[in-house]
């Protein structure tokens, strides 16, 4: 804390304290001569009166001196600032302005976006900066930052701020700003953080504790969030698959949210035409409930083969347009060929799985997503795998090391393998070869039994892509109705091994330890996943190759009553295994890696939603492209060559749900984030107040003038008490007599004196003359 004065020259007025001293000396009362008897009592009382009057005069003198001193302080306008003295407060400062530039800052209120409001508040701060101050501007988009040469240059930098996909959190930008202040040579450091105080920004992130790490730095949070926003948002999209077969419908589920009162607004699906325009394919009316999430389902059929792109849009407009649409990309083509190897006879042991992934009814109508070929396991090595995207091993026996090596090489090219372990792997020592552990990412240990039927699949969460389809039903999956009596204990003990990953598949690529996707109720792994090069392996530790009437059946997943959870699990495990190479739907800012059918093309051009054409070099060895310029939300088209023999690919990028979540945090949550003694300004008046308190300080004039008034009142009371007026000097004898009577509260009447003796002349002698009393200060 520091104290300074706005007008220090007026402190010279404190010299007026000499006035009461002079008045005190001039107005001292002079002694008055009085004729008064009982001199002994008056002399004693005189000493006491002098002491009392001396203290009274001293008190009155101090009151008058204090009144003049505090009056001079009031005229000098003292201020109490956070740190430093006058030279520091009015000298140049090093200031860093940190802005949140996420898409939610496009939220409008009062015909002004949150980013425009932040720029307006920043201009107010620029007017308060002392001359020669150094200013730097940071944002969450990751733009390069440095101290601007002038304040005007920093103001121009703020005017050029635009909304972009965040590359870092606001907390990370604050840490960078503090580092810049540490490198400044100026004594005073100030950090200004412009935020909408939304859940999207501060949910899961914590700002640095500047009071502990940089106690010399002043921090001010500027809240530019909307007071009462009204917004309809599409938070996410869920597709039935990024790759669908020709003739199969595309299922789309849109998750919605609403801020504000209930409203009715339709949602529509629009598909991108070859001419670059969007054609509406479906529309549904929808009632948006206040502070409630909703769900809208669409089914689009008749999609032509190739890469197809579209979007879901909200009819009309609201306060935030950035979350009013979501884009998607799907690849429509021939069904993926899948090889299913089952124990002999494969037609019976592979029936459940083949019907789950490719039902006969859908095969006849041409609407299946998998083209299944069913063979005996003994024919596996003799069959060519080149035309298949995926292989399923149902209850495999111990395979020769050469077969596992071929599988590893085949997987490294970006293919998929699903293994359903069963009783035929009973010889664990033979099954756990070195090559099998590299492919599976672990080894089998022993068979676990739960004859009472108390064990079943028990997913802890639905975050994994294999389980994403189950989110539509959530807790309604009746896993307990399909008990697992036996299953293999799988140990993830394989050591990571690396190898070359070339385009021709000459090596197995990278193998690692399998990760658990789903566990049983007893806690042991049920479904695991392992990467092999660019390929993926999914392991299920119980089989579906046994007949329903088999008394030794390990489970009832496929043979229970209405086993729809097994049908979903069989499809999702296979989709995860064969569909991981390309990701056509990403979050903005993330890179997208796409595999091309041709490797004789050197460069492709990516057309962004912003209208730019970005060249991307093709990795000739891997046959892939990596698209990194994905900051804009929307559909990206990738072209090279002509329409007939060229490359036609695409991808879609959407904002993360947090980037458009503008719901304001509660005050108690803000206090927990920023600290109890944080400074948060919402208006220009708050901003000026907080800046003045920190840089100029708090003026004490109001308190001091009240104190001066109290001192003057005290002076008046004391002066009237000690300088009570006297009516006349003749009253002094009466006052003395009254005082003499008061000193003896119960006097006894004196005895009558004996008559004096007669003199020589025969007369009584006269009274002696009265003494003369000189009283000082009575």
């Amino acid at each position: 804390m520091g104290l300074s004065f706005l007008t220090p020259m007026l402190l010279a007025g404190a010299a007026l304290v000499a006035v009461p001293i002079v008045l005190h000396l001039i107005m001292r009362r002079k002694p008055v001569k009085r004729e008064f008897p009982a001199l002994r009592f008056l002399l004693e009382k005189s000493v006491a009166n002098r002491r009392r009057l001396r203290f009274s005069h001293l008190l009155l003198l101090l009151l008058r001196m204090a009144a003049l001193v505090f009056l001079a302080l009031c005229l000098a306008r003292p201020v109490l600032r956070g740190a430093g003295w006058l030279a520091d407060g009015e000298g140049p400062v090093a200031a860093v302005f940190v802005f949140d530039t996420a898409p939610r800052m496009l939220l409008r209120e009062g015909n002004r976006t949150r980013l425009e409001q932040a720029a307006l508040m920043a201009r107010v701060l620029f007017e308060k900066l002392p001359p020669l101050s150094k200013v730097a501007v940071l944002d969450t988009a990751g733009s390069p930052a440095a101290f601007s040469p002038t304040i005007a240059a920093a103001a121009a930098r703020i005017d050029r701020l635009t909304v972009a996909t965040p590359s870092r959190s606001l907390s990370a930008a604050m840490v960078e700003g503090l580092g810049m202040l540490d490198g400044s040579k100026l004594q005073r450091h100030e950090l200004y953080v412009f935020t909408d105080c939304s859940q999207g920004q501060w949910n899961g992130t914590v700002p640095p504790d500047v009071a502990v790490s940089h106690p010399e730095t002043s921090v001010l949070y500027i809240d530019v969030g909307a007071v009462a926003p009204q917004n309809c948002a599409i938070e996410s999209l869920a597709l039935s698959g990024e790759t669908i077969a020709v003739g199969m419908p595309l299922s789309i589920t849109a998750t919605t949210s609403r801020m504000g009162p209930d409203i009715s607004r339709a949602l529509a699906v629009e598909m991108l035409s070859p001419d670059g325009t969007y054609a509406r394919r479906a529309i549904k009316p929808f009632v948006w409930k206040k502070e409630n999430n909703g769900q809208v389902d669409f089914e689009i059929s008749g999609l032509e083969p190739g890469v197809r792109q579209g979007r879901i849009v909200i009819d009309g407009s609201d306060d935030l347009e950035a979350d009013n649409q979501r884009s998607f990309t799907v690849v429509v083509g021939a069904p993926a060929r899948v090889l299913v190897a089952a124990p002999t006879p494969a037609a019976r042991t592979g029936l459940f799985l083949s019907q789950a992934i490719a039902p006969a009814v859908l095969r006849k109508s041409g609407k299946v997503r998998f083209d299944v070929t069913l063979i005996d396991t003994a024919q596996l090595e003799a069959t060519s795998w080149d035309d298949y995207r995926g292989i399923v091993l149902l209850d495999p026996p111990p395979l020769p090391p050469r077969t596992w090596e071929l599988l590893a090489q085949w997987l490294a090219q970006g293919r998929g393998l699903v293994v359903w372990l069963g009783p035929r792997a009973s010889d664990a020592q033979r099954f756990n070869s070195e090559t099998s552990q590299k492919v599976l990412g672990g080894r089998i240990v022993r068979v676990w039994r739960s004859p009472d039927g108390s064990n079943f699949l028990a997913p802890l969460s639905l975050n994994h892509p294999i389980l994403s389809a189950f989110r539509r039903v959530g807790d309604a999956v009746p896993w307990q109705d399909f008990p697992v009596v036996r299953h293999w204990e799988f140990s993830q003990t394989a050591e990571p091994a690396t190898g070359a990953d070339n385009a021709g598949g000459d090596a197995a690529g990278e193998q690692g330890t399998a990760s658990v996707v789903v566990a049983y109720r007893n806690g042991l792994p049920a479904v695991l996943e392992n990467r092999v090069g660019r390929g993926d392996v999914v392991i299920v530790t119980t089989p579906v190759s046994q007949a329903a009437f088999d008394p030794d059946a390990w489970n009832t997943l496929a043979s229970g009553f209405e086993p729809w959870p097994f049908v979903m699990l069989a499809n999702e495990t296979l989709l995860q295994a064969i569909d991981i190479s390309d990701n056509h739907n990403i979050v903005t800012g993330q890179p997208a890696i796409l595999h091309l059918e041709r490797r004789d093309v050197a460069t492709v051009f990516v057309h962004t939603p912003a209208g730019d054409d970005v060249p991307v070099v093709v990795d000739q060895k891997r046959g892939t492209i990596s698209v990194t310029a994905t900051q804009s939300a929307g559909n990206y088209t990738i072209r090279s060559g002509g329409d007939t023999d060229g490359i036609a690919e695409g991808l879609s990028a959407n904002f993360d749900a947090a980037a458009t979540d503008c719901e304001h945090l509660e005050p108690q949550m803000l206090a927990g984030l920023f600290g109890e003694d944080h400074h948060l300004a919402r208006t220009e008046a708050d901003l000026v107040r907080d800046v003045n308190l920190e840089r100029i300080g708090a003026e004490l004039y109001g308190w001091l003038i009240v104190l001066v008034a109290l001192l003057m009142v005290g002076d008046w009371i004391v002066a009237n008490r000690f300088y009570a007026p006297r009516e006349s000097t003749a009253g002094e004898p009466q006052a003395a007599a009254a005082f003499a009577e008061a000193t003896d509260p119960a006097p006894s009447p004196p005895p009558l004196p004996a008559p004096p003796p007669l003199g020589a002349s025969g007369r009584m002698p006269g009274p002696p003359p009265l003494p003369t009393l000189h009283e000082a200060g009575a």
Side-chain angles (χ1 to χ4, degrees):
M1 300 294 288
L3 186 68
S4 62
F5 303 92
L6 298 182
T7 54
M9 298 299 296
L10 293 180
L11 284 175
L16 295 177
V17 297
V19 174
I21 298 177
V22 174
L23 293 176
H24 174 73
L25 296 176
I26 294 176
M27 299 179 63
R28 292 176 60 185
R29 299 187 61 180
K30 300 297 190 294
V32 181
K33 290 184 178 182
R34 299 295 181 190
E35 298 289 339
F36 198 80
L39 180 59
R40 179 171 57 86
F41 298 105
L42 291 177
L43 289 176
E44 293 177 358
K45 189 61 177 177
S46 175
V47 176
N49 284 345
R50 288 192 185 95
R51 294 174 180 172
R52 180 178 61 84
L53 290 176
R54 187 180 298 111
F55 172 75
S56 302
H57 290 169
L58 181 60
L59 177 61
L60 186 59
L61 176 64
L62 293 177
L63 284 174
R64 289 173 175 174
M65 293 173 62
L68 290 174
V69 169
F70 282 106
L71 181 60
L73 287 176
C74 289
L75 296 177
R77 297 179 63 188
V79 292
L80 190 64
R81 65 180 76 257
W85 291 89
L86 183 62
D88 295 333
E90 294 183 350
V93 301
V96 173
F97 289 65
V98 182
F99 289 84
D100 180 6
T101 55
R104 60 180 166 270
M105 296 295 285
L106 289 176
L107 179 69
R108 286 191 172 272
E109 187 178 57
N111 201 27
R112 182 183 296 158
T113 66
R114 301 304 87 209
L115 187 58
E116 292 172 349
Q117 178 67 19
L120 181 64
M121 301 284 274
R123 295 188 191 98
V124 176
L125 288 172
F126 282 150
E127 296 176 356
K128 296 292 182 179
L129 287 174
L132 302 179
S133 296
K134 294 295 183 180
V135 182
V137 179
L138 302 181
D139 57 27
T140 56
S143 302
F147 282 105
S148 301
T150 61
I151 297 178
R157 168 77 175 85
I158 289 178
D159 293 336
R160 294 192 302 269
L161 287 175
T162 57
V163 168
T165 300
S167 63
R168 58 185 174 185
S169 65
L170 196 60
S171 299
M174 292 177 61
V175 172
E176 182 178 349
L178 292 172
M180 296 179 64
L181 290 175
D182 290 340
S184 176
K185 297 180 180 180
L186 296 178
Q187 184 176 359
R188 288 185 56 83
H189 297 164
E190 297 177 353
L191 181 67
Y192 299 97
V193 183
F194 296 83
T195 173
D196 60 350
C197 295
S198 64
Q199 291 187 1
Q201 175 58 65
W202 295 109
N203 189 13
T205 61
V206 179
D209 192 351
V210 182
V212 175
S213 60
H214 296 75
E216 75 285 353
T217 301
S218 302
V219 181
L220 178 61
Y221 294 94
I222 297 93
D223 183 5
V224 296
V227 178
Q230 296 188 18
N231 182 47
C232 297
I234 304 176
E235 291 192 346
S236 62
L237 290 183
L239 305 176
S240 57
E242 291 190 3
T243 302
I244 62 175
V246 177
M248 287 196 63
L250 172 65
S251 299
I252 309 173
T253 301
T255 303
T256 64
S257 64
R258 170 64 178 166
M259 294 179 61
D262 296 352
I263 191 174
S264 296
R265 294 179 62 184
L267 286 93
V269 178
E270 298 176 348
M271 300 301 297
L272 183 63
S273 303
D275 58 358
T277 61
Y278 285 90
R280 184 159 293 190
R281 296 289 300 271
I283 186 170
K284 283 187 177 182
F286 184 69
V287 178
W288 304 73
K289 297 293 185 180
K290 177 182 180 181
E291 307 296 337
N292 191 19
N293 291 342
Q295 185 173 297
V296 184
D297 297 323
F298 293 93
E299 190 171 277
I300 308 299
S301 59
L303 295 178
E304 298 180 356
V307 178
R308 295 291 170 252
Q309 295 180 308
R311 64 186 183 185
I312 291 185
V313 298
I314 303 174
D315 272 352
S317 60
D318 54 18
D319 292 348
L320 181 60
E321 299 291 335
D323 55 8
N324 283 4
Q325 75 174 37
R326 290 267 171 176
S327 304
F328 60 88
T329 298
V330 295
V331 179
V332 183
R337 298 196 63 188
V338 176
L339 182 64
V340 178
T344 305
R348 178 177 62 82
T349 58
L351 178 62
F352 288 144
L353 184 69
S354 60
Q355 287 297 314
I357 61 179
V361 177
L362 295 181
R363 282 204 305 270
K364 292 179 180 179
S365 61
K367 295 182 178 180
V368 292
R369 67 178 71 182
F370 303 115
D371 182 7
V372 178
T373 300
L374 191 59
I375 64 171
D376 291 340
T377 306
Q379 304 173 351
L380 179 62
E381 190 172 348
T383 304
S384 176
W385 306 338
D386 295 339
D387 297 334
Y388 294 98
R389 289 288 306 275
I391 295 178
V392 180
L393 299 180
L394 279 176
D395 189 11
L399 299 177
R402 173 62 180 169
T403 303
W404 288 113
E405 291 176 0
L406 293 175
L407 282 173
Q409 295 175 9
W410 179 79
L411 286 167
Q413 302 176 21
R415 314 296 176 87
L417 174 66
V418 179
V419 181
W420 295 75
L421 298 173
R424 296 187 67 194
S426 57
D427 191 347
Q429 185 175 0
R430 288 183 55 209
F431 192 91
N432 293 327
S433 64
E434 182 180 353
T435 52
S436 70
Q437 293 186 55
K438 291 180 179 180
V439 173
L440 301 180
R443 60 187 178 88
I444 59 175
V445 180
R446 59 176 177 169
V447 176
W448 276 72
R449 292 174 173 81
S450 301
D452 56 353
S454 61
N455 194 31
F456 48 85
L457 272 71
L460 296 178
S461 67
L462 304 178
N463 296 327
H464 196 276
I466 292 178
L467 302 174
S468 60
F470 291 96
R471 296 175 188 170
R472 303 178 184 178
V473 290
D475 296 335
V477 183
W479 294 112
Q480 67 277 3
D481 296 341
F482 307 96
V484 177
V485 180
R486 302 180 192 177
H487 68 85
W488 280 102
E489 178 186 351
F490 192 90
S491 176
Q492 306 131 270
T493 57
E495 294 294 334
T498 60
D501 182 12
N502 56 19
D506 297 333
E510 296 183 0
Q511 297 87 23
T513 301
S515 59
V516 179
V517 177
V518 182
Y520 292 109
R521 189 170 182 265
N522 60 12
L524 294 176
V527 181
L528 303 98
E529 183 182 16
N530 183 45
R531 289 297 302 270
V532 179
R534 298 203 317 264
D536 196 36
V537 181
V538 178
I539 305 102
V540 186
T541 58
T542 192
V544 287
S545 57
Q546 298 163 299
F549 53 82
D550 189 347
D552 295 328
W554 283 32
N555 59 72
T556 60
L557 287 174
S559 59
F561 179 70
E562 295 185 353
W564 59 268
F566 157 70
V567 175
M568 293 181 62
L569 183 64
N571 280 269
E572 295 303 321
T573 53
L574 189 53
L575 283 173
Q576 176 67 14
I578 70 175
D579 208 27
I580 65 165
S581 297
D582 298 341
N583 192 357
H584 294 88
N585 297 275
I586 62 173
V587 176
T588 53
Q590 293 183 354
I593 299 177
L594 301 178
H595 290 77
L596 305 179
E597 296 297 333
R598 296 174 52 183
R599 301 185 181 182
D600 56 344
V601 178
T603 305
V604 297
F605 290 90
V606 179
H607 185 73
T608 68
D612 301 325
D613 290 316
V614 181
V616 177
V617 178
V618 179
D619 187 339
Q620 301 289 338
K621 182 179 180 180
R622 299 174 180 268
T624 61
I625 58 172
S626 179
V627 183
T628 57
T630 59
Q631 280 71 29
S632 301
N635 290 316
Y636 294 73
T637 58
I638 302 170
R639 295 289 186 268
S640 180
D643 295 336
T644 57
D645 58 349
I647 295 176
E649 274 287 351
L651 63 94
S652 298
N654 291 295
F655 291 127
D656 185 74
T660 55
D661 184 1
C662 53
E663 185 175 354
H664 203 277
L665 291 173
E666 298 296 331
Q668 58 269 22
M669 298 184 67
L670 292 177
L673 279 172
F674 303 149
E676 294 294 340
D677 55 346
H678 69 280
H679 296 285
L680 183 64
R682 286 193 57 90
T683 64
E684 294 185 18
D686 296 340
L687 196 62
V688 173
R689 178 205 63 198
D690 290 334
V691 170
N692 287 341
L693 286 175
E694 187 59 36
R695 189 182 301 141
I696 299 176
E699 288 198 39
L700 304 179
Y701 175 83
W703 297 101
L704 291 179
I705 199 64
V706 171
L707 183 58
V708 169
L710 293 176
L711 290 173
M712 295 180 68
V713 171
D715 171 76
W716 179 80
I717 294 174
V718 173
N720 281 276
R721 172 68 180 84
F722 297 144
Y723 292 145
R726 299 172 179 172
E727 297 179 358
S728 63
T729 56
E732 292 293 342
Q734 289 80 0
F739 170 76
E741 293 179 359
T743 56
D744 191 2
S748 57
L752 294 175
L758 297 176
S761 60
R763 294 182 297 179
M764 296 182 64
L770 292 176
T772 300
L773 174 63
H774 295 277
E775 180 185 13

